[in-house]
């Protein structure tokens, strides 16, 4: 099926009543405490509905509004047990159960407790390394479900390792539901905490980091915790209990405040539709229990009327061959004109009821059932009612929604074969990299994780099949990113399956700034295990090919590689960016022999080297007073306090080459005993060294073996000292990179 945002309209909750009975029913719906849960979000574009709508002469005016942020309820249950939900939050042995999704120039490690890097407590800590320049990533840990609205208290201890400049950093600590806090880190261990409402199904603790700095940055974290008082007898209406056949939260509308477990939206984005959780009354009883939901439609916008109810983040029982769904509908005894009303039911994997006429609905409850729903590990379940043609606003009730295990379905097949949408050359391990819907032809936006870092959090992601914003690069659909104002920074991400560890691939994506906009305001970046770097787009209306040659570098800290597509656009005003056709292929031929020119500093010119300092009072000059070979070296002087100096030179390389980086250093014995260290780190594959200086009055080699992860090799290296208010001098010489 296709998923698009047809349009978005400003929410309104004023309704025109045609009679006293109409006003009574309408006011009853609006008086419900949760009636404001009419949200703007991607809606399914059912083909027949769109075809019918397209025959109308003119659509209502499209009005954009920001993506809403829920204020979910918080409850503190009684008769419960305080429970730790985070697994391995103390990092005492490793970083198992934590998933790191890096942007370029960042790594995630485990570091043991030591005098130099003391943990907050226990034997170890997590270590996030961000290289200079744009860098960042996402760190997540899945926590089990708690009842909807049950308060979760989340905390963590963090600090940064000086010297560092965090002025260009945004570090957020939150979850993937509604809570989020921006951190201001210090060099000392500091505890950060927030409260988050349970959503009735598993959620995530998240750290989201975005930095741009002239210095490398080290962030350390420890003792991450998420605790909730878990009821001894959880309410099954408010939580998907382990083993429950129903995958939905509050499917029977019996959970207090539980309508917020559902997302309700106007089907087309026009009119004054509303969805609320209600109780039964004389003439309009619930199907069962004490709760049901009501859909109030607005037919002043015919045919652009309709409502949509859905839940996302649904996990199927993947041991079953298929799932099923059922629900009950009835119509209000007063607002009962359902002429022309159409019912649609869909999931991320398909459309299962398309434009079924329900104009014969009465106050008697009627059951609707769907079988053979294709299971998936992350699903969205939709029920939509639209196209009502009555001159009155109908009020339709829904109750006892089931989406889950089909007892009649057999076990899942032991093996499945999915044809890839693009056909690359397979690696020796026999698999090929695959994405779900890389050309947006299915149109399911939930296949892609959309992250909005815009100033006003008002960017949107949708799929367009009508060439509203521009012609697709290929096929009939195209992904659309829309920005409203200020600086906009968004990413599309999707887990990439089928990579062969250690193999090299070429991947491409096509992007375009839509016609009528200023392409000079935008930059594009494409990454998997490395990054393409910022790409300047072609003129507006012209497709830009962004290509990346990358190494599949998969280890214990990056088990789940992600494709990420970023667009950064600056300046006030609207902007539209199109994205299409992610593809994979074999690596291009490469015969480069890497080298670093003037690695012995014999030219006497230090300007080709990128040099950064920690405190700002350090100096680095070329000298003839000492050398490892030749006649010159670099003399670094640290006057006082915690000084550091870093260097880098980029060099051409073939992705996947095994290389060795070397430099030599010399520290006079007069400075013996002052704690100093040398370091080097590879940007794209994560290898690094951090060695304490223990030999004096002799030249010592520092060596880093690494694998080239990008066509431009990049090693950060340097020296740092905790001077204890004493001067230190260090010599560097003979920087080189060679094949191994």
């Amino acid at each position: 099926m296709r998923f698009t945002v047809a349009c978005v309209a400003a929410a309104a909750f004023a309704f025109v009543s045609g009679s006293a009975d109409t006003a009574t029913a309408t006011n009853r719906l609006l008086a419900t405490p949760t009636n404001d849960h009419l949200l703007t979000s991607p809606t399914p574009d059912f083909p027949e509905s769109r075809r019918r709508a397209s025959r109308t002469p003119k659509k209502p005016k499209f009005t954009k509004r920001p993506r809403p942020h829920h204020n979910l309820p918080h409850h503190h249950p009684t008769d419960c047990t305080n429970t730790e939900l985070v697994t391995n939050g103390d990092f005492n042995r490793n970083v198992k159960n934590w998933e790191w999704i890096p942007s370029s120039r960042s790594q995630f490690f485990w570091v043991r407790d030591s005098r130099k890097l003391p943990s907050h407590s226990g034997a170890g800590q997590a270590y996030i390394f961000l290289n200079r320049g744009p860098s960042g990533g996402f760190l997540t840990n899945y926590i089990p479900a708690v009842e909807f609205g049950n308060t979760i208290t989340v905390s963590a201890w963090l600090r940064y390792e000086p010297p560092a400049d965090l002025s260009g950093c945004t570090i957020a600590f939150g979850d993937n539901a509604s809570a989020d806090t921006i951190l201001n880190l210090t060099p000392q261990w500091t505890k950060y905490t927030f409260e988050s409402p349970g959503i009735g199904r598993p959620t995530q603790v998240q750290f989201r980091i975005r930095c741009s700095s002239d210095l490398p940055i080290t962030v350390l974290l420890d003792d991450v915790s998420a605790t909730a008082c878990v009821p001894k007898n959880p309410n099954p209406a408010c939580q998907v209990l382990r083993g429950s056949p129903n995958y939905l939260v509050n499917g029977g509308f019996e959970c207090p405040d539980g309508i917020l477990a559902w997302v309700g939206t106007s089907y087309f984005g026009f009119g004054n539709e509303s969805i609320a959780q209600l109780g039964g009354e004389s003439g309009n009883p619930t199907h069962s229990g004490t709760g049901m939901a009501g859909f109030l439609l607005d037919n002043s916008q015919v045919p652009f009327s309709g409502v949509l109810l859905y839940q996302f983040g649904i996990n199927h029982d993947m041991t079953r061959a298929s799932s099923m769904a059922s629900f009950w509908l009835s119509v209000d005894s007063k607002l009962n004109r359902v002429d022309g009303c159409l019912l649609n039911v869909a999931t991320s994997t398909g459309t299962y009821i398309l434009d079924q006429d329900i104009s014969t609905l009465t106050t008697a409850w009627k059951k609707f059932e769907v079988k053979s729903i294709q299971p998936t590990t992350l699903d969205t379940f939709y029920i939509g009612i639209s196209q009502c043609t009555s001159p009155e606003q109908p009020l339709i009730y829904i109750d006892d929604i089931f989406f889950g295990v089909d007892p009649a379905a057999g076990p899942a097949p032991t093996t499945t074969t999915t044809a890839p949408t693009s056909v690359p050359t397979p690696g020796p391990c026999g698999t090929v990299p695959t994405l779900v819907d890389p050309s947006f032809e299915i149109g399911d936006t939930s296949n892609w994780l959309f992250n909005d870092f815009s100033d006003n959090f008002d960017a949107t992601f949708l799929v367009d099949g009508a060439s509203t914003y521009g012609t697709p690069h290929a096929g009939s659909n195209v992904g659309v990113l829309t920005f409203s104002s200020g600086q906009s920074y968004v990413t599309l991400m999707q887990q990439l399956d089928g990579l062969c560890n250690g193999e090299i691939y070429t991947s491409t994506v096509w992007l375009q700034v839509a016609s009528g906009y200023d392409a000079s305001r935008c930059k594009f970046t494409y990454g998997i295990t490395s990054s393409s770097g910022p790409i300047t787009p072609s003129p507006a209306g012209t497709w830009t090919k962004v290509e990346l040659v990358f190494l599949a570098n998969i280890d214990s800290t990056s088990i789940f590689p992600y494709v990420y597509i970023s667009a950064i656009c600056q300046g006030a005003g609207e902007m539209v960016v199109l994205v299409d056709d992610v593809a994979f292929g074999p690596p291009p031929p490469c015969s480069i022999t890497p080298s670093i020119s003037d690695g012995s500093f014999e030219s006497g010119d230090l300007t080709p080297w990128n040099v950064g300092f920690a405190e700002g009072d350090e100096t680095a000059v070329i000298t003839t007073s000492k050398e490892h070979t030749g006649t010159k070296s670099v003399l670094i002087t640290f006057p006082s306090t915690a000084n550091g100096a870093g260097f880098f030179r980029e060099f051409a390389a073939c992705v996947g080459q095994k290389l060795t980086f070397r430099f030599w250093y010399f520290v006079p014995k007069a400075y013996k005993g002052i704690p100093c260290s040398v370091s080097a780190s590879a940007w794209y594959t994560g290898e690094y060294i951090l060695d304490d200086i223990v030999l004096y009055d002799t030249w010592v080699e520092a060596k880093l073996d690494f694998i080239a992860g990008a066509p431009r090799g990049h090693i950060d290296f340097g020296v740092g000292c905790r001077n204890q208010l004493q001067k230190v001098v260090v010599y560097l010489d003979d920087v080189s990179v060679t094949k191994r």
Side-chain angles (χ1 to χ4, degrees):
M1 65 177 291
R2 301 172 186 270
F3 293 83
T4 73
V5 176
C7 28
V8 184
F13 296 97
F15 294 84
V16 178
S17 55
S19 66
D21 290 335
T22 301
T24 299
T26 302
N27 291 336
R28 171 172 158 263
L29 185 69
L30 295 181
T32 306
T34 56
N35 72 293
D36 60 346
H37 193 57
L38 179 62
L39 305 180
T40 301
S41 50
T43 62
D45 177 13
F46 298 99
E48 180 60 25
S49 300
R50 188 174 63 173
R51 184 179 63 79
R52 184 180 297 107
S54 68
R55 290 199 293 263
T56 61
K58 186 177 181 182
K59 293 183 180 181
K61 185 178 180 181
F62 164 50
T63 303
K64 193 171 186 177
R65 62 179 174 181
R67 188 172 72 249
H69 298 272
H70 312 314
N71 292 315
L72 298 182
H74 285 262
H75 301 300
H76 296 273
T78 58
D79 192 22
C80 56
T81 302
N82 286 320
T83 305
E84 176 60 62
L85 305 175
V86 170
T87 303
N88 193 29
D90 57 15
F91 302 108
N92 277 349
R93 294 184 178 181
N94 51 43
V95 292
K96 187 178 180 181
N97 295 321
W98 290 88
E99 181 181 356
W100 175 246
I101 306 172
S103 67
S104 62
R105 308 168 183 169
S106 65
Q107 293 93 36
F108 178 59
F109 309 100
W110 177 81
V111 181
R112 66 171 53 89
D113 171 70
S114 66
R115 289 185 178 181
K116 185 172 183 180
L117 290 174
S119 62
H120 174 254
S121 71
Q125 60 204 297
Y127 177 109
I128 299 173
F129 179 78
L130 308 171
N131 235 307
R132 49 169 65 95
S135 187
F138 295 78
L139 181 64
T140 62
N141 188 307
Y142 283 86
I143 60 177
V146 299
E147 281 190 5
F148 186 87
N150 186 1
T151 298
I152 304 172
T153 301
V154 188
S155 63
W157 291 81
L158 293 96
R159 72 179 185 91
Y160 71 84
E161 181 74 3
D165 176 11
L166 273 65
S167 61
C169 296
T170 300
I171 303 176
F173 177 31
D175 59 22
N176 64 339
S178 63
D180 195 59
T181 182
I182 303 299
L183 307 186
N184 293 313
L185 299 189
T186 72
Q188 292 76 42
W189 284 109
T190 303
K191 185 178 182 179
Y192 303 89
T193 187
F194 65 89
E195 287 190 342
S196 173
I199 60 172
R201 53 170 47 96
T203 184
Q204 297 177 19
V205 171
Q206 297 182 337
F207 296 89
R208 300 183 288 274
I209 301 178
R210 182 181 68 181
C211 276
S212 182
S213 173
D214 292 332
L215 292 174
I217 294 171
T218 296
V219 175
L220 301 163
L221 63 155
D222 203 357
D223 295 327
V224 184
S225 172
T227 59
C229 200
V230 177
K232 295 179 181 178
N233 296 300
N235 184 349
C238 302
Q239 179 179 340
V240 182
L241 298 174
R242 185 181 296 275
S244 172
N246 196 347
Y247 307 146
L248 299 175
V249 180
N250 195 34
F253 304 101
E254 302 298 315
C255 182
D257 299 320
I259 190 65
L260 294 176
W262 291 86
V263 179
T265 182
S266 169
Y267 196 99
F268 293 99
F270 306 116
N272 296 328
E273 292 90 358
S274 183
I275 303 174
Q277 185 161 311
L278 306 169
E281 60 181 26
S282 178
N284 297 299
T286 66
H287 176 255
S288 69
T290 60
M292 61 183 178
F295 296 170
L296 183 66
L297 284 82
D298 176 10
N299 286 332
S300 67
Q301 300 290 341
V302 170
F304 297 102
S305 66
V307 290
L308 186 74
L309 190 70
Y310 65 93
Q311 277 189 32
F312 55 90
I314 300 170
N315 298 304
H316 288 243
D317 180 354
M318 298 304 293
T319 66
R320 312 298 295 175
S322 63
S323 299
M324 66 168 292
S326 64
F327 53 92
W328 296 78
L329 295 178
S330 71
V331 66
D332 186 81
S333 59
K334 303 298 182 181
L335 300 177
N336 53 18
R337 293 286 301 276
V338 287
D339 305 351
C341 292
L342 302 177
L343 171 69
N344 294 286
V345 176
T347 73
S348 299
T349 58
T351 303
Y352 296 95
I353 294 179
L354 177 63
D355 285 357
Q356 180 174 330
D357 192 327
I358 57 171
S359 58
T360 59
L361 275 183
T362 67
T363 55
W365 286 98
K366 181 178 181 179
K367 185 177 183 180
F368 295 82
E369 188 173 77
V370 174
K371 295 276 193 175
S372 302
I373 295 175
Q374 181 182 340
T376 181
T377 55
L378 193 66
D379 205 353
T380 304
F381 177 66
Y382 303 83
I383 298 175
I385 297 176
S386 64
Q387 307 280 343
C388 298
T389 58
S390 165
E392 289 185 314
Q393 297 165 328
L395 176 54
I396 299 173
Y397 299 114
I398 186 168
D399 201 1
D400 294 331
I401 307 175
F402 177 89
F403 177 46
V405 175
D406 183 354
T414 54
T415 58
T416 58
T417 302
T418 302
T421 53
S422 56
V423 184
T425 301
C429 69
T431 62
V432 294
T434 58
L435 293 174
V436 179
D437 198 18
S439 298
F440 306 96
E441 294 304 300
I442 299 174
D444 181 356
T445 57
S446 68
N447 289 320
W448 292 87
L449 178 63
F450 173 63
N451 296 293
D452 181 9
F453 297 100
S454 302
D455 289 346
N456 299 318
F457 299 100
D458 55 0
T460 67
F461 167 50
L462 58 101
V463 175
D464 177 40
S467 296
T468 305
Y469 304 93
T471 304
H473 175 256
S476 58
N477 281 9
V478 64
V480 181
L481 301 169
T482 68
F483 309 140
S484 290
S485 60
Q487 176 169 296
S488 297
Y489 170 35
V490 301
T491 62
L492 292 177
M493 306 175 69
Q494 186 181 146
Q495 184 176 325
L496 178 61
D497 295 321
L499 289 179
C500 301
N501 194 23
E503 291 300 312
I504 308 163
Y505 301 90
T506 299
S507 186
T508 56
V509 64
W510 293 82
L511 296 109
Q512 178 189 135
V513 173
S515 296
Y517 298 95
D518 182 2
S520 66
R521 289 170 44 196
C522 298
K523 298 288 185 183
F524 303 144
T525 302
Y526 183 43
I528 300 176
T529 58
S530 60
S531 169
S532 66
I535 302 297
T536 301
S538 302
T542 304
W543 285 100
T544 301
K545 180 181 180 181
V546 182
E547 183 175 86
L548 176 69
V549 181
F550 70 96
L551 170 71
N553 181 38
I554 307 169
D555 57 27
S556 60
T557 64
S558 58
I559 300 172
F560 306 110
Y562 275 72
V563 166
Y564 54 93
I565 303 164
S566 299
I568 301 177
C569 299
Q570 297 183 347
E574 187 180 73
M575 176 65 68
V576 175
V577 173
L578 310 182
V579 57
D580 208 355
D581 295 332
V582 179
F584 295 89
C590 184
S591 58
I592 294 172
T593 299
S595 65
I596 295 177
S597 61
D598 196 27
S600 296
F601 308 103
E602 294 302 301
S603 70
D605 183 8
L606 197 58
T607 55
W609 295 83
N610 292 277
V611 185
F613 298 116
E615 298 291 331
D617 56 357
E618 306 91 335
T619 61
V621 297
I622 294 180
T623 180
T624 58
S625 61
K626 193 173 293 295
E627 72 288 326
H628 177 249
T629 63
T631 61
K632 297 181 178 67
S633 66
V634 172
L635 170 63
I636 303 171
T637 302
F638 294 158
S640 61
T641 65
N643 286 169
F647 300 77
F648 76 85
R649 280 280 294 278
E650 292 191 335
F651 49 89
C654 297
V655 175
Q657 279 183 326
K658 295 181 178 180
L659 305 174
T660 296
F661 175 81
R662 294 179 173 87
F663 67 96
W664 293 79
Y665 63 91
F666 182 103
V667 181
K669 65 180 180 181
Y671 308 108
K672 184 176 181 179
I674 296 176
C676 297
S677 61
V678 293
S679 64
S681 61
W683 269 26
Y684 300 113
T685 48
E687 300 95 337
Y688 76 102
I689 57 170
L690 179 61
D691 297 332
D692 291 335
I693 295 175
V694 295
L695 297 176
Y696 301 87
D697 259 0
T698 184
W699 284 98
V700 181
E701 182 188 42
K703 183 175 72 171
L704 173 67
D705 291 333
F706 71 104
I707 298 174
R712 297 298 300 173
H714 187 120
I715 301 290
D716 266 310
F717 70 102
V719 59
C721 293
R722 296 178 180 178
N723 304 30
Q724 300 173 345
L725 302 181
Q726 300 178 51
K727 176 184 175 182
V728 178
V729 299
V730 181
Y731 297 89
L732 298 181
D733 202 2
D734 291 338
V735 183
S736 66
V737 61
T738 57
K739 291 183 180 180
R740 59 180 169 94

